Coordinates of all heavy atoms in Angstrom, one line a residue:
M881 N 163.7 -165.1 60.3 CA 163.2 -165.3 61.6 C 163.1 -166.8 61.9 O 162.7 -167.6 61.1 CB 161.8 -164.7 61.7 CG 161.2 -164.7 63.1 SD 159.7 -163.8 63.0 CE 159.4 -163.5 64.7
S882 N 163.6 -167.2 63.1 CA 163.7 -168.6 63.5 C 162.3 -169.0 64.0 O 161.6 -168.3 64.6 CB 164.7 -168.7 64.6 OG 164.6 -169.9 65.2
I883 N 162.0 -170.3 63.7 CA 160.8 -170.8 64.2 C 160.9 -171.1 65.7 O 160.0 -171.3 66.4 CB 160.4 -172.2 63.5 CG1 161.5 -173.2 63.7 CG2 160.1 -171.9 62.1 CD1 161.0 -174.6 63.2
W884 N 162.2 -170.9 66.2 CA 162.4 -171.1 67.7 C 162.5 -169.8 68.4 O 163.0 -169.8 69.5 CB 163.7 -171.9 67.8 CG 163.7 -173.2 67.1 CD1 164.4 -173.6 66.0 CD2 162.9 -174.4 67.4 NE1 164.1 -174.8 65.6 CE2 163.2 -175.4 66.4 CE3 161.9 -174.6 68.4 CZ2 162.5 -176.6 66.5 CZ3 161.3 -175.9 68.4 CH2 161.6 -176.8 67.4
A885 N 162.1 -168.7 67.8 CA 162.2 -167.4 68.4 C 161.5 -167.4 69.8 O 160.4 -168.0 69.9 CB 161.6 -166.3 67.5
V886 N 162.1 -166.7 70.7 CA 161.5 -166.7 72.1 C 161.5 -165.2 72.6 O 162.2 -164.4 72.1 CB 162.3 -167.6 73.0 CG1 162.2 -169.0 72.6 CG2 163.8 -167.2 73.1
T887 N 160.8 -165.1 73.7 CA 160.8 -163.8 74.4 C 161.6 -164.0 75.7 O 161.4 -165.0 76.4 CB 159.3 -163.4 74.8 OG1 158.6 -163.2 73.6 CG2 159.3 -162.1 75.7
V888 N 162.6 -163.2 75.9 CA 163.6 -163.3 77.0 C 163.5 -162.1 77.9 O 163.7 -161.0 77.4 CB 165.0 -163.4 76.4 CG1 166.0 -163.6 77.5 CG2 165.1 -164.6 75.4
S889 N 163.2 -162.3 79.1 CA 163.2 -161.2 80.1 C 164.7 -161.0 80.5 O 165.4 -162.0 80.9 CB 162.4 -161.6 81.4 OG 161.1 -161.7 81.0
V890 N 165.1 -159.7 80.5 CA 166.5 -159.4 80.8 C 166.5 -158.5 82.0 O 165.8 -157.5 82.1 CB 167.2 -158.7 79.6 CG1 168.6 -158.4 79.9 CG2 167.1 -159.5 78.3
A891 N 167.3 -158.9 83.1 CA 167.3 -158.2 84.3 C 168.3 -157.0 84.1 O 169.3 -157.0 83.4 CB 167.9 -159.1 85.4
P892 N 168.0 -155.9 84.8 CA 168.9 -154.7 84.8 C 170.3 -155.1 85.3 O 170.4 -156.0 86.1 CB 168.2 -153.7 85.7 CG 166.8 -154.1 85.8 CD 166.8 -155.6 85.7
G893 N 171.3 -154.3 84.9 CA 172.6 -154.6 85.5 C 173.7 -154.3 84.4 O 173.4 -154.1 83.2
S894 N 174.9 -154.4 84.8 CA 176.0 -154.1 83.9 C 176.3 -155.4 83.1 O 176.5 -156.4 83.7 CB 177.2 -153.7 84.7 OG 178.3 -153.5 83.8
G895 N 176.3 -155.3 81.8 CA 176.6 -156.4 80.9 C 175.5 -157.4 80.6 O 175.6 -158.2 79.8
T896 N 174.3 -157.2 81.3 CA 173.2 -158.2 81.1 C 172.6 -158.0 79.7 O 172.3 -159.1 79.0 CB 172.1 -158.0 82.1 OG1 171.6 -156.7 82.1 CG2 172.6 -158.3 83.5
L897 N 172.5 -156.8 79.1 CA 172.0 -156.6 77.8 C 172.9 -157.2 76.7 O 172.5 -157.9 75.8 CB 171.7 -155.2 77.6 CG 171.0 -154.8 76.2 CD1 169.7 -155.6 76.0 CD2 170.8 -153.4 76.0
K898 N 174.2 -156.9 76.9 CA 175.2 -157.4 75.9 C 175.1 -159.0 75.9 O 175.1 -159.6 74.8 CB 176.6 -157.0 76.2 CG 177.6 -157.6 75.2 CD 179.0 -157.0 75.5 CE 180.1 -157.5 74.6 NZ 179.7 -158.3 73.4
T899 N 175.1 -159.6 77.0 CA 175.0 -161.1 77.1 C 173.7 -161.5 76.4 O 173.7 -162.5 75.6 CB 175.0 -161.5 78.5 OG1 176.3 -161.1 79.1 CG2 174.9 -163.0 78.6
A900 N 172.6 -160.9 76.6 CA 171.3 -161.3 76.0 C 171.3 -161.1 74.5 O 170.9 -162.0 73.8 CB 170.2 -160.5 76.6
V901 N 171.9 -160.0 74.0 CA 172.0 -159.8 72.6 C 172.9 -160.8 71.9 O 172.6 -161.4 70.9 CB 172.5 -158.3 72.2 CG1 172.9 -158.2 70.8 CG2 171.4 -157.3 72.6
D902 N 174.1 -161.1 72.6 CA 175.0 -162.1 72.0 C 174.4 -163.5 71.9 O 174.7 -164.2 71.0 CB 176.3 -162.1 72.9 CG 177.2 -160.9 72.8 OD1 176.9 -160.1 71.8 OD2 178.1 -160.8 73.6
N903 N 173.5 -163.8 72.9 CA 172.9 -165.1 72.9 C 171.6 -165.2 72.2 O 171.1 -166.4 72.0 CB 172.7 -165.6 74.4 CG 174.0 -165.8 75.1 OD1 175.0 -166.2 74.5 ND2 174.0 -165.5 76.4
A904 N 171.0 -164.1 71.7 CA 169.7 -164.1 71.1 C 169.8 -164.7 69.7 O 170.8 -164.6 68.9 CB 169.2 -162.7 71.0
S905 N 168.7 -165.4 69.3 CA 168.6 -165.9 67.9 C 167.7 -164.9 67.2 O 167.0 -164.1 67.7 CB 167.9 -167.3 68.0 OG 168.7 -168.2 68.7
S906 N 167.8 -165.0 65.8 CA 167.0 -164.2 65.0 C 165.5 -164.4 65.3 O 165.0 -165.5 65.5 CB 167.2 -164.5 63.5 OG 166.5 -163.5 62.7
G907 N 164.8 -163.3 65.5 CA 163.4 -163.3 65.8 C 163.1 -163.1 67.3 O 161.9 -162.9 67.7
D908 N 164.1 -163.2 68.2 CA 163.9 -163.1 69.6 C 163.5 -161.7 70.0 O 163.8 -160.7 69.3 CB 165.2 -163.5 70.4 CG 165.4 -165.0 70.4 OD1 164.6 -165.8 69.9 OD2 166.5 -165.4 71.0
V909 N 162.8 -161.6 71.1 CA 162.3 -160.4 71.7 C 163.0 -160.3 73.1 O 162.7 -161.2 73.9 CB 160.8 -160.2 71.8 CG1 160.4 -158.9 72.4 CG2 160.2 -160.3 70.4
L910 N 163.8 -159.3 73.3 CA 164.4 -159.1 74.6 C 163.5 -158.0 75.4 O 163.4 -156.9 74.9 CB 165.8 -158.6 74.5 CG 166.8 -159.5 73.6 CD1 168.2 -158.9 73.6 CD2 166.8 -160.9 74.2
V911 N 163.0 -158.4 76.5 CA 162.1 -157.5 77.3 C 162.8 -157.0 78.5 O 163.3 -157.8 79.3 CB 160.8 -158.3 77.7 CG1 159.9 -157.4 78.5 CG2 160.1 -158.8 76.4
L912 N 162.9 -155.7 78.6 CA 163.6 -155.0 79.7 C 162.6 -154.5 80.7 O 161.7 -153.8 80.4 CB 164.5 -153.9 79.1 CG 165.4 -154.2 77.9 CD1 166.2 -153.0 77.6 CD2 166.2 -155.4 78.2
S913 N 162.9 -154.7 82.0 CA 162.1 -154.2 83.1 C 162.7 -152.8 83.5 O 163.8 -152.4 83.0 CB 162.1 -155.1 84.3 OG 163.4 -155.4 84.7
T914 N 162.1 -152.1 84.4 CA 162.6 -150.8 84.9 C 164.0 -151.0 85.5 O 164.2 -152.0 86.3 CB 161.6 -150.2 85.9 OG1 160.4 -149.9 85.2 CG2 162.2 -148.9 86.4
G915 N 164.9 -150.1 85.2 CA 166.2 -150.2 85.7 C 167.2 -149.7 84.7 O 166.9 -149.4 83.6
T916 N 168.5 -149.8 85.1 CA 169.6 -149.3 84.2 C 170.3 -150.6 83.7 O 170.7 -151.4 84.4 CB 170.5 -148.4 84.9 OG1 169.8 -147.2 85.3 CG2 171.6 -147.9 84.0
Y917 N 170.6 -150.6 82.4 CA 171.3 -151.6 81.7 C 172.6 -151.0 81.2 O 172.7 -150.3 80.2 CB 170.5 -152.2 80.5 CG 169.2 -152.8 80.9 CD1 168.1 -152.1 81.3 CD2 169.2 -154.2 81.0 CE1 167.0 -152.7 81.8 CE2 168.0 -154.9 81.5 CZ 166.9 -154.1 81.8 OH 165.8 -154.8 82.3
G918 N 173.7 -151.2 82.0 CA 175.0 -150.7 81.7 C 175.7 -151.4 80.6 O 175.7 -152.6 80.5
V919 N 176.2 -150.5 79.6 CA 176.9 -151.1 78.5 C 178.2 -150.3 78.4 O 178.3 -149.1 78.3 CB 176.2 -150.8 77.1 CG1 177.0 -151.3 76.0 CG2 174.8 -151.6 77.1
S920 N 179.3 -151.0 78.7 CA 180.7 -150.5 78.6 C 181.3 -151.1 77.4 O 181.6 -152.3 77.4 CB 181.4 -150.8 79.9 OG 182.7 -150.2 79.8
G921 N 181.6 -150.3 76.4 CA 182.1 -150.9 75.2 C 181.0 -151.1 74.2 O 180.0 -150.4 74.3
N922 N 181.2 -151.9 73.2 CA 180.2 -152.1 72.1 C 179.4 -153.3 72.2 O 179.9 -154.4 72.7 CB 181.0 -152.1 70.8 CG 181.7 -150.8 70.5 OD1 181.2 -149.7 70.7 ND2 183.0 -151.0 70.1
I923 N 178.2 -153.2 71.8 CA 177.3 -154.4 71.5 C 177.3 -154.5 70.0 O 176.8 -153.6 69.3 CB 175.9 -154.2 72.1 CG1 175.9 -154.2 73.6 CG2 175.0 -155.4 71.6 CD1 174.6 -153.9 74.2
D924 N 177.9 -155.6 69.5 CA 177.9 -155.8 68.0 C 177.0 -156.9 67.6 O 177.0 -158.0 68.2 CB 179.3 -156.2 67.6 CG 180.3 -155.0 67.7 OD1 180.0 -153.9 67.5 OD2 181.5 -155.3 68.1
I925 N 176.1 -156.6 66.7 CA 175.2 -157.6 66.1 C 175.9 -158.0 64.8 O 175.9 -157.2 63.8 CB 173.8 -157.1 65.9 CG1 173.3 -156.6 67.3 CG2 172.9 -158.2 65.3 CD1 171.9 -156.0 67.3
T926 N 176.4 -159.2 64.7 CA 177.3 -159.6 63.6 C 176.7 -160.7 62.7 O 177.4 -161.2 61.8 CB 178.7 -160.0 64.1 OG1 178.5 -161.1 65.0 CG2 179.4 -158.8 64.8
T927 N 175.5 -161.2 63.1 CA 174.9 -162.3 62.3 C 174.1 -161.8 61.2 O 173.1 -161.0 61.4 CB 174.0 -163.2 63.2 OG1 174.8 -163.7 64.3 CG2 173.4 -164.4 62.5
A928 N 174.4 -162.1 59.9 CA 173.7 -161.7 58.8 C 172.2 -162.0 58.9 O 171.8 -163.1 59.3 CB 174.2 -162.2 57.5
D929 N 171.3 -161.0 58.5 CA 169.9 -161.2 58.5 C 169.3 -161.5 59.8 O 168.1 -162.0 59.9 CB 169.5 -162.3 57.5 CG 169.9 -162.0 56.1 OD1 169.8 -160.8 55.6 OD2 170.4 -162.9 55.4
K930 N 169.9 -161.1 60.9 CA 169.4 -161.3 62.3 C 168.3 -160.2 62.5 O 168.6 -159.0 62.2 CB 170.5 -161.2 63.3 CG 170.1 -161.5 64.7 CD 171.3 -161.6 65.7 CE 170.9 -162.1 67.0 NZ 172.1 -162.3 67.8
V931 N 167.2 -160.6 63.0 CA 166.1 -159.8 63.4 C 166.0 -159.8 64.9 O 165.8 -160.9 65.4 CB 164.8 -160.2 62.7 CG1 163.6 -159.3 63.1 CG2 164.9 -160.2 61.2
L932 N 166.0 -158.7 65.5 CA 166.0 -158.6 67.0 C 165.2 -157.5 67.5 O 165.3 -156.4 66.9 CB 167.5 -158.5 67.5 CG 167.7 -158.6 69.0 CD1 167.2 -160.0 69.6 CD2 169.1 -158.4 69.3
T933 N 164.4 -157.7 68.5 CA 163.6 -156.6 69.1 C 164.0 -156.5 70.6 O 164.2 -157.5 71.3 CB 162.1 -156.9 69.1 OG1 161.7 -157.0 67.7 CG2 161.3 -155.8 69.7
I934 N 164.3 -155.2 71.0 CA 164.5 -154.9 72.4 C 163.4 -154.0 72.8 O 163.2 -152.9 72.2 CB 165.9 -154.2 72.6 CG1 167.0 -155.1 72.1 CG2 166.1 -153.8 74.0 CD1 168.4 -154.4 72.1
Q935 N 162.6 -154.4 73.8 CA 161.5 -153.6 74.2 C 161.3 -153.5 75.7 O 161.7 -154.4 76.4 CB 160.2 -154.1 73.5 CG 159.7 -155.4 74.0 CD 158.5 -155.9 73.3 OE1 158.4 -155.7 72.1 NE2 157.6 -156.5 74.0
A936 N 160.6 -152.4 76.1 CA 160.3 -152.3 77.5 C 159.1 -153.2 77.9 O 158.2 -153.4 77.1 CB 159.9 -150.8 77.8
A937 N 159.2 -153.8 79.1 CA 158.1 -154.6 79.6 C 156.9 -153.6 79.8 O 157.1 -152.4 79.9 CB 158.4 -155.2 80.9
S938 N 155.7 -154.1 79.8 CA 154.5 -153.2 80.0 C 154.7 -152.4 81.3 O 154.9 -152.9 82.3 CB 153.3 -154.1 80.1 OG 152.1 -153.3 80.3
G939 N 154.6 -151.1 81.1 CA 154.7 -150.1 82.2 C 156.1 -149.9 82.7 O 156.3 -149.1 83.7
A940 N 157.1 -150.5 82.1 CA 158.5 -150.3 82.6 C 159.1 -149.1 81.9 O 158.7 -148.7 80.8 CB 159.3 -151.6 82.3
N941 N 160.2 -148.6 82.6 CA 161.0 -147.5 82.0 C 162.5 -147.9 82.1 O 163.2 -147.3 82.9 CB 160.7 -146.2 82.9 CG 159.3 -145.8 82.8 OD1 158.8 -145.5 81.7 ND2 158.6 -145.7 83.9
P942 N 162.9 -148.8 81.2 CA 164.3 -149.2 81.2 C 165.2 -148.1 80.5 O 164.8 -147.4 79.6 CB 164.3 -150.5 80.4 CG 163.2 -150.3 79.5 CD 162.1 -149.5 80.3
V943 N 166.5 -148.0 81.0 CA 167.4 -147.1 80.4 C 168.7 -147.9 80.0 O 169.2 -148.6 80.9 CB 167.8 -146.0 81.4 CG1 169.0 -145.1 80.8 CG2 166.6 -145.2 81.8
I944 N 169.1 -147.8 78.8 CA 170.4 -148.4 78.4 C 171.4 -147.3 78.5 O 171.3 -146.3 77.8 CB 170.3 -148.9 76.9 CG1 169.3 -150.0 76.8 CG2 171.7 -149.4 76.5 CD1 169.0 -150.5 75.4
S945 N 172.3 -147.5 79.4 CA 173.4 -146.4 79.7 C 174.7 -146.9 79.0 O 175.3 -147.9 79.5 CB 173.5 -146.3 81.2 OG 174.5 -145.3 81.4
I946 N 175.1 -146.2 78.0 CA 176.3 -146.6 77.2 C 177.5 -145.7 77.6 O 177.4 -144.5 77.5 CB 176.0 -146.5 75.7 CG1 174.8 -147.4 75.3 CG2 177.3 -146.9 74.9 CD1 174.4 -147.3 73.9
S947 N 178.6 -146.3 78.0 CA 179.8 -145.5 78.2 C 180.9 -146.1 77.3 O 181.1 -147.3 77.3 CB 180.2 -145.6 79.7 OG 180.5 -146.9 80.1
N948 N 181.5 -145.2 76.6 CA 182.6 -145.6 75.7 C 182.3 -146.7 74.8 O 183.1 -147.7 74.6 CB 183.9 -146.0 76.6 CG 184.3 -144.8 77.4 OD1 184.4 -143.7 77.0 ND2 184.6 -145.1 78.7
G949 N 181.2 -146.6 74.1 CA 180.8 -147.6 73.2 C 179.5 -147.3 72.4 O 179.1 -146.2 72.4
S950 N 178.9 -148.3 71.8 CA 177.7 -148.1 71.0 C 177.1 -149.5 70.8 O 177.6 -150.5 71.1 CB 178.1 -147.5 69.7 OG 179.0 -148.3 68.9
I951 N 175.9 -149.4 70.2 CA 175.2 -150.6 69.6 C 175.4 -150.5 68.1 O 175.0 -149.6 67.5 CB 173.7 -150.6 70.0 CG1 173.6 -150.6 71.5 CG2 173.0 -151.8 69.4 CD1 172.1 -150.5 72.0
R952 N 176.1 -151.5 67.6 CA 176.5 -151.5 66.2 C 175.9 -152.7 65.4 O 175.9 -153.8 65.9 CB 178.0 -151.5 66.0 CG 178.7 -150.4 66.8 CD 180.1 -150.3 66.6 NE 180.9 -151.5 67.0 CZ 182.2 -151.6 66.9 NH1 182.9 -150.6 66.5 NH2 182.8 -152.7 67.3
L953 N 175.3 -152.4 64.3 CA 174.8 -153.4 63.3 C 175.9 -153.6 62.3 O 176.2 -152.8 61.5 CB 173.5 -152.9 62.7 CG 172.5 -152.3 63.6 CD1 171.3 -151.9 62.8 CD2 172.1 -153.3 64.7
R954 N 176.5 -154.8 62.4 CA 177.8 -155.1 61.7 C 177.6 -156.2 60.6 O 178.6 -156.9 60.3 CB 178.9 -155.3 62.6 CG 179.0 -154.2 63.7 CD 180.2 -153.8 64.2 NE 181.4 -154.2 63.7 CZ 182.4 -153.4 63.2 NH1 182.1 -152.1 63.2 NH2 183.5 -153.8 62.7
A955 N 176.4 -156.4 60.1 CA 176.3 -157.5 59.1 C 175.1 -157.1 58.2 O 174.3 -156.2 58.5 CB 175.9 -158.8 59.8
T956 N 175.1 -157.7 57.0 CA 174.1 -157.4 56.0 C 172.7 -157.9 56.5 O 172.6 -159.0 57.0 CB 174.5 -158.0 54.7 OG1 175.7 -157.6 54.3 CG2 173.5 -157.7 53.6
G957 N 171.7 -157.0 56.3 CA 170.3 -157.5 56.6 C 169.9 -157.5 58.0 O 168.8 -158.0 58.3
V958 N 170.7 -157.0 58.9 CA 170.3 -156.9 60.3 C 169.2 -155.9 60.5 O 169.2 -154.9 59.9 CB 171.5 -156.5 61.2 CG1 171.1 -156.3 62.6 CG2 172.6 -157.5 61.1
K959 N 168.2 -156.3 61.3 CA 167.1 -155.4 61.6 C 166.9 -155.4 63.2 O 166.7 -156.4 63.8 CB 165.8 -155.9 61.0 CG 164.6 -155.0 61.3 CD 163.3 -155.5 60.7 CE 162.2 -154.5 61.1 NZ 160.9 -155.0 60.6
L960 N 167.1 -154.2 63.7 CA 167.0 -154.0 65.2 C 165.9 -153.1 65.5 O 165.9 -152.0 64.9 CB 168.3 -153.5 65.8 CG 168.3 -153.1 67.3 CD1 168.0 -154.4 68.1 CD2 169.6 -152.5 67.7
T961 N 164.9 -153.5 66.3 CA 163.8 -152.6 66.7 C 163.9 -152.4 68.2 O 164.1 -153.3 69.0 CB 162.4 -153.3 66.4 OG1 162.3 -153.6 65.0 CG2 161.3 -152.4 66.9
I962 N 163.9 -151.1 68.6 CA 164.0 -150.7 70.0 C 162.7 -149.9 70.3 O 162.4 -149.0 69.6 CB 165.2 -149.9 70.3 CG1 166.5 -150.7 69.9 CG2 165.3 -149.5 71.8 CD1 167.8 -149.9 70.1
D963 N 162.0 -150.4 71.3 CA 160.7 -149.8 71.6 C 160.5 -149.5 73.1 O 160.7 -150.5 73.9 CB 159.6 -150.8 71.1 CG 158.2 -150.2 71.3 OD1 158.0 -148.9 71.3 OD2 157.2 -151.0 71.4
G964 N 160.2 -148.3 73.4 CA 159.9 -147.9 74.8 C 161.1 -147.9 75.7 O 161.0 -148.0 77.0
V965 N 162.3 -147.8 75.2 CA 163.6 -147.8 75.9 C 164.3 -146.5 75.8 O 164.4 -146.0 74.6 CB 164.5 -149.0 75.5 CG1 165.8 -149.0 76.2 CG2 163.7 -150.3 75.6
T966 N 164.8 -145.9 76.8 CA 165.7 -144.7 76.8 C 167.1 -145.2 76.6 O 167.6 -146.1 77.3 CB 165.5 -143.9 78.0 OG1 164.2 -143.5 78.2 CG2 166.4 -142.7 78.0
I967 N 167.8 -144.5 75.6 CA 169.2 -144.8 75.5 C 170.0 -143.6 75.9 O 169.8 -142.5 75.3 CB 169.5 -145.2 74.0 CG1 168.8 -146.5 73.6 CG2 171.1 -145.4 73.8 CD1 168.9 -146.9 72.2
D968 N 170.9 -143.7 76.9 CA 171.6 -142.6 77.4 C 173.1 -142.8 77.2 O 173.7 -143.7 77.7 CB 171.4 -142.5 78.9 CG 172.1 -141.4 79.6 OD1 172.8 -140.6 78.9 OD2 172.0 -141.2 80.8
G969 N 173.7 -142.0 76.3 CA 175.1 -142.1 76.0 C 175.9 -141.0 76.7 O 177.1 -140.7 76.3
S970 N 175.4 -140.4 77.7 CA 176.1 -139.3 78.4 C 177.2 -139.7 79.4 O 177.9 -138.9 79.9 CB 175.1 -138.4 79.1 OG 174.5 -139.1 80.2
Q971 N 177.3 -141.0 79.6 CA 178.3 -141.5 80.6 C 179.7 -141.4 80.1 O 180.1 -141.9 79.2 CB 177.9 -142.9 81.1 CG 176.6 -142.9 81.7 CD 176.4 -142.0 82.9 OE1 177.2 -142.0 83.7 NE2 175.3 -141.4 83.0

């Protein structure tokens, strides 16, 4: 976990979550508000030992809508926590 870990608010939209994950440092918390976060293709977490949390903002109901892809942990020691978020792969 980085001593520089931060909490990042991520706006709903297509590609916003992927950009936030790609730019996140180990220990960061990505906070999602109500809305749909479109993911087309894969979100790959490729940094070894990266710790990342994706969580709903208080009272929010965010949906990660994945079409033709997935969220993949592709390195040793990666830890991903997802809390209060619906993941919909039906698209």
Side-chain angles (χ1 to χ4, degrees):
M881 184 174 197
S882 168
I883 61 170
W884 305 110
V886 296
T887 299
V888 179
S889 296
V890 182
S894 180
T896 59
L897 181 60
K898 178 174 179 11
T899 299
V901 169
D902 288 348
N903 292 328
S905 296
S906 187
D908 285 357
V909 177
L910 305 181
V911 179
L912 310 184
S913 57
T914 295
T916 300
Y917 294 78
V919 176
S920 179
N922 297 315
I923 294 178
D924 292 322
I925 301 174
T926 59
T927 303
D929 299 318
K930 187 172 189 174
V931 176
L932 185 62
T933 300
I934 299 172
Q935 69 182 38
S938 180
N941 296 303
V943 176
I944 299 172
S945 179
I946 301 173
S947 62
N948 299 315
S950 61
I951 298 173
R952 304 186 300 185
L953 311 180
R954 308 212 14 119
T956 303
V958 173
K959 180 179 179 187
L960 174 63
T961 301
I962 300 176
D963 184 27
V965 177
T966 299
I967 299 176
D968 179 2
S970 64
Q971 300 301 317

